[in-house]
Structure formats: structure tokens, C-alpha cells
Amino acid sequence: MDGGIDHLADERSKAEFDVDAMKLVWAGSRHAFDVSNRVSRLVATDPVFEKRNRAVMSRKELFKNTLKKSVHAWKIINELRLSDEEAIKLRSFMDQPGFLDLHWGMFVPAIKGQGTEEQQKKWLSLANKLQIIGCYAQTELGHGSNVQGLETTATFDPKTDQFIIHSPTQTSSKFWPGGLGKVSTHAVVYARLITNGKDHGVHGFIVQLRSLDDHSPLPGITVGDIGMKFGNGAYNSMDNGFLMFDHYRIPRDQMLMRLSKVTREGKYVASDVPRQLVYGTMVFVRQSIVSNASNALARAVCIATRYSAVRRQFGSQSGGIETQVIDYKTQQNRLFPLLASAYAFRFVGEWLKWLYTDVTQRLEASDFATLPEAHACTAGLKSMTTSATSDGIEECRKLCGGHGYLWCSGLPELFAVYVPACTYEGDNVVLQLQVARFLMKTVSQLSSGKVPSGTTAYMGKAKHLLQCSSGVQKAEDWLNPDMVLEAFEARALRMAVTCANNLSKFENQEQGFSELLAELVEAAIAHCQLIVVSKFIDKVEGEIEGRGVKKQLKNLCYIYALYLLHKHLGDFLRTHSVTPEQAALANDQLRSLYSQVRPNAVALVDAFDYTDHYLGSVLGRYDGNVYPKLFEEALKDPLNDSVVPDGYREYIRPLIKQEFRFAKL
């Protein structure tokens, strides 16, 4: 935090809860808080991690700056002997997308999940020391979400005991993998495995791309960067790349062979290890994306909340002081649900970490019972939280008025960095359709007597939920967790059952699924929103320490639930889960909750415990000293290096002085 006068001191004095205790709730534990606090301040005080000039860097300067920071971070991790947890935090607080994100986030987990013990021993020892740098080359120019449609081939040649990796078409070129464009020496490449003329589907291969001596691409490899992306700075620090193979050969043992292998003779052999294990990595990646959604939304909300308390507009009488923007109900109606969403995503992210650990332990014991649910949960929640977060960041920008459009507000770059999450690791609409298939299967099994469990346990109450009507009679009833949950359960079940009934009218189920895509997505979203609401309620109904903390979390919990009810009111009314009168009572309660959150708003974002360095925002400064700093940032722009701009004599002066010579036609 910067020193000096605290312009938000009055706001902080209004807090009705123990902010330090809320920081621990947000962090998850005292240990996690201590790690985050220590590492974030380590990064904030290191001049190498300075980031205020990213917007004016050329692409080449930005990329080289990213290399510098990434290597510096690696040195710090080794010199200070940071734990894996601390190293992950350090890279996060560095706040600059770079090649190591994919190395640690995708390349290493892929080898751990799909490599044999021998392959792990060989490749992970190199990767963990960064003696090789890897990326994850799956997406192609022509195919992303449809992995089974990938065109790159890996044909086994028994004469040489090698696979021939080849890009048969332009659309088969790998396109988008981060770290591929300029840095990665190796990649886990996904290609169609072909032996003895038979296509065995998509498999993973460890492929060296560049020389370890001079970094030049190896013969048969065409590789480069795909070019500038959306926004200044932002994701342009990442070398997303393209890759084409021209009959490139690799040894047979570089096929990832934990799940299946090819013998010396070219025989394809499935391993005793179940193929479902590959989903463990996917569950891990997607649950981490949900956690990141919470962080990104919290950053945007922190900026918008602090600035809304600093900014004053209108409302003055006889030249008196103007009204704080945060006091307007329209501002609260847009801002406070986003604040509640940040907390909601935080807690569902915690639950997903538990789910991942549970699933992993079950998989190791060859228990695959909970895997379909875990896959559906992580797919659906990845989709729901990233869509809500990207929309939320943009809403926070608009909540900051015109100044929110300035790069130094931190919001344009945050949006540009975050919005790819809606399409990477699965397009969000496609992911919700996976959830819908899971829901349709669950509904179809209800008549057979199979009892749903986990997040679909509510479907076991189908008879009741299809017939019940909400018992809400007054606004305060919407603070009853049972009544809130029943409304969300009834809505989700009735939408799913309606989809299932409509599907049954089609002779061809796949045709029916294709016709009902929009309705199926809506049913999946309703199910995912129920999960988040239920986990938030579980959190606030549990043991929570700290003065006033539980009350504030309950307020946020019911703001989140009632905001969703208001936003998706059509669903609730159409399914008769609530009546119009009950919906009106929900809106009354929502306004009351906004009033209760208002004096605590700044303290609630302080509980995120983000440094000014990490926020990277003039508008969201901890001390609220916004306006002098906005001027400082303006004066730093390169255009202000000279009073008279370059080009004055060539263009502006001749224009003003009318010194042009016009050609005669």
C-alpha cells in the first residue's frame, strides 16, 4: 500500500465487521493468508516486476520484458527456496501472462497424468529444472473444442521404430498454444495415432521443437507467433504460436504411454490403467480456472468500489458537497451483486479443490463413480464463472465512468487478459452442453430408481420439487436458506425435466439435442447457479469466526441468490418456482440488503488484501488519492515528451496556414 493520506479512511471507519478476520475467510486459512500476504509484498517491492509502462511498450519490448520477469521470478523461487505453493503465488502476483504459465499449468500436468513412470522420471526431471520448456499443442487452426476432429497425424514406422508427425492440411496446423511461438523447446502434441493403416484416435506425444544449443527450429518444424491480440499489453506478453510438421520423426517412446502404447512391432495395446484418468488433469485445470475467476472479478470489483466511494457527482444543494456515486441505488444495483459474485466464486472454488482431491484419491483406487459428476461440475462452473467474470469486469469499467476507459484504471487490461478464459479449455457454450448431457442422463435414470447423489442429489426429490410451491410470504422469508434453495432446486429440476420431455418427442435423440441446444444450455446454467448458491449457503451456515463477519457474508450470499432470481426471473416464473408477488418481495429484500452492505463495501474489498501493485489501478488505489495520480499518469505518456508534437511542421502547420498546393483537375 502507498503511504500518505487515506482518502477512504471515513469509509473504512464505517465497517461493522472485523476486516482482518474476513481476510482469513477470503484466503481460506491463516497459512494461505500468510503465504499470499508475504509473496504479494515481495513482488510489489521488487523493481523488476514494475508494470506501469506496459501499455506503451512495443510488442518486442513487451515480450522481452516478460522473459526478464519470468527468469527473475525463477531465480527468486530458487534463491529463497520457495515452496510450490509460494511459487504459484509469486507467478500469479507477477501479473503478466508468459510462457511458464503453460509449462507449469499444462505441459507438466499432461506428462504427470499421461506419462509412464519411466517417462515421468525422464521428462519431469528436465522440466522441473527448466532445462526444457514445454507447451501444450492441442488446438488447431480448424479445430478447438472438437478434439476428436484434430487432423495432425502420428503414423508409426516399424522400420525405424519412429512416429512420423505430420500436418496434412493448413487447418491441421497447431494454432494458439501459449509459449509455443518463440520460447518452448518441447511440446505435448496431440495427433491422430495411425498404426498399420488404422486410426486409433487422438493421443499425446512429447515432441522436441527447437535446438537446445541455439534455439533454432529443428528440420521439419515450422513454428512462429500468431500475432497481436486484443488490448494494449494484456495477453500480448504471451507468445501464442502456430506449428506445422513436415513428416517430422520422433522415437516411439515419446508417445505418452500410461493409458495406451504401441509395441516395437506396431501393435496398439491399451493399458490396464483406465482411460478415465486423463480426466483428472482436466478437472484440475478447470477447477483452477474457477479460482482465477474469483481473483479477477475481485480485482475489478475492488477498483470499482473504491472509486465509487471517491467519485462524487450531482446531488449538491446550494453549492454543497456532491453525492458519492456509491450512494446511488443504480450504482449499488450494478456493483454489489458483482461483489457478492466474487465471494460466491471464491467459495465454490474452494469446494472444487476439495472435489478434485476427492476424485483424485478415488481414481487412484480405481473408483470412477464420481468422475462424471466432477467432469460436469468443473465444465459447467468453468463456463458459468468465466462468462460472469468477463461480463463483470466490463460492467466495473462502465461503473467507473469515462475514467474507467483509461488504461491506467487497470480495467481495460484486466478485461483483455481475462476474456480469453471464455474460450480456452473449452468454449463456454460447448461446456454447458456437456453439463446438459449429464443432466439428461441423470433425469432419464430417475424412473429406474437410481438415487442421484452429489450436486444432483436434489433430483432425488423430483416428486416434491415438481409439485411444490414456494412458501415465501414476506420479504424476510427470502433470507431463509431452505426457501431460497427450494426455489433454485425447483427451477433447475423443472427446466431439466422439460428438456428431457421435449427430447423424448424426437425419434432421433441427437437430432432432438441439436434442435434444443438453447434450452439445454439454459437448463445447464440453472443447475450450475444452484451449485454456487448452495455452496455459498453451506459456507455462511457453517462455523465462521470474527466480529460481524458471518452477518456480512450472509448479506452477500442472499444478494447473490436474489440477484440471480431477478436476472433470470423469466425462468422462475415460467417454471412456477415463484409467483410474481414473491419475485416482488425478493426485490424488496434485495434493496434492503444493498443498504446493509453499503457502509461495509470498501472494507469488504479491503478483505481481498490486494496490493496497489497487483491491482495496477489509479482508480482503485488503497489510499483513494485518485485525481492527482490520474494527472501524473497522463503526464507520463510519450506523447507529452514534447510540447509540440512530431508531425507539426509536416501536417498541422500547413493545414492551419493553408499552405497546401491543390492539384488542378
Side-chain angles (χ1 to χ4, degrees):
M1 310 301 179
D2 290 340
I5 299 172
D6 183 354
H7 295 265
L8 291 170
D10 183 57
E11 286 293 325
R12 295 187 168 103
S13 70
K14 298 174 184 176
E16 301 164 339
F17 67 100
D18 184 340
V19 178
D20 288 335
M22 186 69 85
K23 288 180 180 179
L24 296 184
V25 173
W26 176 261
S29 68
R30 165 62 68 178
H31 169 74
F33 171 77
D34 289 341
V35 168
S36 181
N37 189 274
R38 182 171 63 253
V39 174
S40 66
R41 279 147 184 79
L42 173 68
V43 172
T45 55
D46 191 322
V48 175
F49 294 126
E50 174 59 53
K51 61 183 186 180
R52 283 180 293 184
N53 57 348
R54 283 197 298 224
V56 296
M57 286 183 176
S58 68
R59 179 79 199 286
K60 286 187 174 181
E61 289 172 334
L62 181 63
F63 178 66
K64 190 172 182 179
N65 179 258
T66 306
L67 297 181
K68 177 183 178 181
K69 288 180 179 177
S70 298
V71 172
H72 184 64
W74 178 244
K75 287 180 180 178
I76 290 175
I77 290 167
N78 283 278
E79 288 171 359
L80 299 183
R81 297 182 180 180
L82 299 186
S83 65
D84 288 345
E85 179 186 11
E86 291 169 326
I88 290 169
K89 283 290 184 184
L90 189 145
R91 288 192 291 270
S92 172
F93 286 124
M94 187 177 81
D95 191 37
Q96 193 151 317
F99 61 95
L100 288 180
D101 296 354
L102 279 297
H103 175 85
W104 296 116
M106 297 296 290
F107 180 73
V108 168
I111 295 173
K112 284 181 178 178
Q114 299 170 46
T116 62
E117 287 186 18
E118 184 179 356
Q119 288 175 320
Q120 290 183 41
K121 184 177 180 181
K122 174 182 177 180
W123 295 104
L124 292 181
S125 62
L126 297 170
N128 288 335
K129 296 174 185 175
L130 289 183
Q131 290 175 303
I132 63 172
I133 299 169
C135 66
Y136 189 84
Q138 178 172 290
T139 298
E140 295 178 354
L141 188 60
H143 287 88
S145 296
N146 182 15
V147 176
Q148 297 309 311
L150 296 179
E151 299 176 83
T152 303
T153 57
T155 307
F156 183 66
D157 179 5
K159 295 179 182 178
T160 59
D161 195 28
Q162 294 175 322
F163 285 105
I164 304 170
I165 313 292
H166 185 59
S167 305
T169 63
Q170 187 176 52
T171 51
S172 70
S173 59
K174 298 297 178 184
F175 208 87
W176 275 109
L180 170 64
K182 292 296 174 182
V183 178
S184 294
T185 62
H186 291 67
V188 169
V189 174
Y190 287 87
R192 310 193 72 81
L193 171 61
I194 299 172
T195 62
N196 299 317
K198 184 177 180 181
D199 187 334
H200 296 279
V202 175
H203 290 67
F205 301 83
I206 300 175
V207 182
Q208 183 173 349
L209 307 175
R210 293 178 169 96
S211 165
L212 294 177
D213 294 323
D214 63 6
H215 208 60
S216 59
L218 298 176
I221 299 283
T222 301
V223 63
D225 187 274
I226 64 171
M228 287 287 287
K229 281 91 62 180
F230 181 65
N232 284 31
Y235 230 85
N236 289 301
S237 57
M238 178 75 80
D239 56 324
N240 299 87
F242 63 81
L243 171 66
M244 294 194 76
F245 300 98
D246 183 5
H247 300 92
Y248 182 75
R249 291 176 176 268
I250 63 170
R252 177 174 56 88
D253 64 4
Q254 287 181 213
M255 171 186 169
L256 290 171
M257 293 192 182
R258 185 181 183 191
L259 305 178
S260 56
K261 65 180 180 179
V262 172
T263 66
R264 177 66 184 83
E265 296 74 31
K267 183 180 179 182
Y268 179 80
V269 181
S271 166
D272 292 335
V273 178
R275 286 197 64 82
Q276 291 99 320
L277 284 178
V278 73
Y279 290 108
T281 302
M282 193 179 298
V283 170
F284 167 76
V285 172
R286 287 177 179 164
Q287 65 86 19
S288 65
I289 291 174
V290 174
S291 295
N292 291 338
S294 170
N295 287 334
L297 184 55
R299 287 175 69 176
V301 168
C302 185
I303 294 167
T305 300
R306 287 176 178 169
Y307 181 59
S308 294
V310 170
R311 185 75 163 173
R312 292 177 178 272
Q313 294 286 287
F314 306 112
S316 63
Q317 299 294 327
S318 304
I321 192 167
E322 292 181 282
T323 303
Q324 288 171 279
V325 171
I326 199 170
D327 284 329
Y328 288 106
K329 290 296 180 180
T330 48
Q331 193 82 350
Q332 295 175 13
N333 188 53
R334 295 162 66 196
L335 178 60
F336 291 170
L338 297 177
L339 172 60
S341 298
Y343 276 90
F345 297 168
R346 189 70 165 189
F347 300 140
V348 81
E350 285 181 1
W351 173 74
L352 278 181
K353 287 180 182 177
W354 170 86
L355 182 67
Y356 168 70
T357 302
D358 180 67
V359 167
T360 302
Q361 292 171 348
R362 289 173 181 268
L363 290 178
E364 290 172 354
S366 297
D367 176 1
F368 307 108
T370 61
L371 187 59
E373 183 199 11
H375 182 253
C377 273
T378 51
L381 291 173
K382 180 271 178 185
S383 171
M384 196 204 85
T385 57
T386 55
S387 291
T389 296
S390 61
D391 291 345
I393 295 170
E394 169 61 5
E395 186 69 8
C396 284
R397 182 191 68 78
K398 290 185 282 190
L399 283 164
C400 291
H403 294 330
Y405 194 65
L406 285 168
W407 188 89
C408 67
S409 76
L411 293 165
E413 187 183 39
L414 178 60
F415 179 77
V417 167
Y418 188 78
V419 76
C422 293
T423 45
Y424 66 56
E425 288 312 297
D427 174 85
N428 281 356
V429 174
V430 174
L431 290 181
Q432 290 295 6
L433 290 173
Q434 293 178 12
V435 179
R437 287 189 182 276
F438 172 71
L439 293 178
M440 294 304 98
K441 183 177 180 180
T442 305
V443 170
S444 71
Q445 294 173 338
L446 291 177
S447 59
S448 67
K450 184 174 181 180
V451 180
S453 60
T455 56
T456 56
Y458 69 97
M459 291 189 173
K461 302 183 292 182
K463 186 175 180 180
H464 168 71
L465 290 174
L466 289 172
Q467 297 175 349
C468 70
S469 57
S470 176
V472 170
Q473 295 180 339
K474 56 184 183 299
E476 292 76 16
D477 289 341
W478 281 118
L479 302 180
N480 182 319
D482 293 334
M483 290 187 177
V484 171
L485 276 177
E486 186 171 83
F488 275 82
E489 288 173 348
R491 169 213 181 198
L493 179 73
R494 293 173 189 185
M495 291 178 72
V497 168
T498 298
C499 284
N501 289 338
N502 288 337
L503 275 174
S504 68
K505 298 173 184 176
F506 290 84
E507 290 185 16
N508 184 315
Q509 286 292 296
E510 285 306 309
Q511 181 192 357
F513 207 87
S514 178
E515 287 291 329
L516 298 171
L517 287 177
E519 292 92 333
L520 287 161
V521 167
E522 290 174 356
I525 291 172
H527 172 71
C528 292
Q529 290 175 344
L530 166 61
I531 294 174
V532 180
V533 169
S534 66
K535 298 309 172 188
F536 205 162
I537 287 176
D538 287 347
K539 183 73 176 182
V540 301
E541 292 299 319
E543 291 295 322
I544 298 175
E545 297 181 359
R547 175 185 60 83
V549 171
K550 194 181 189 79
K551 182 178 187 299
Q552 294 307 315
L553 288 178
K554 280 191 172 183
N555 288 342
L556 292 174
C557 176
Y558 293 108
I559 283 176
Y560 180 72
L562 298 182
Y563 159 74
L564 288 180
L565 191 151
H566 176 76
K567 183 178 180 182
H568 299 277
L569 186 56
D571 289 347
F572 285 91
L573 293 176
R574 178 165 50 87
T575 58
H576 305 290
S577 303
V578 301
T579 65
E581 292 75 20
Q582 290 167 335
L585 292 173
N587 283 342
D588 292 343
Q589 186 57 60
L590 203 48
R591 285 193 299 273
S592 173
L593 288 168
Y594 291 158
S595 297
Q596 294 176 57
V597 165
R598 166 62 191 94
N600 299 282
V602 169
L604 284 167
V605 299
D606 285 350
F608 303 149
D609 200 39
Y610 292 150
T611 63
D612 282 347
H613 175 273
Y614 183 58
L615 278 182
S617 170
V618 170
L619 303 187
R621 293 171 57 89
Y622 182 83
D623 63 11
N625 189 26
V626 170
Y627 300 119
K629 298 299 179 180
L630 276 173
F631 248 103
E632 283 183 24
E633 290 299 318
L635 294 173
K636 289 177 187 175
D637 192 277
L639 278 180
N640 290 320
D641 288 347
S642 60
V643 176
V644 177
D646 293 342
Y648 167 74
R649 292 197 172 276
E650 297 96 320
Y651 305 110
I652 299 175
R653 180 184 170 83
L655 182 66
I656 294 171
K657 299 295 185 181
Q658 296 292 293
E659 294 174 351
F660 289 114
R661 291 189 178 185
F662 294 97
K664 294 181 179 179
L665 298 178

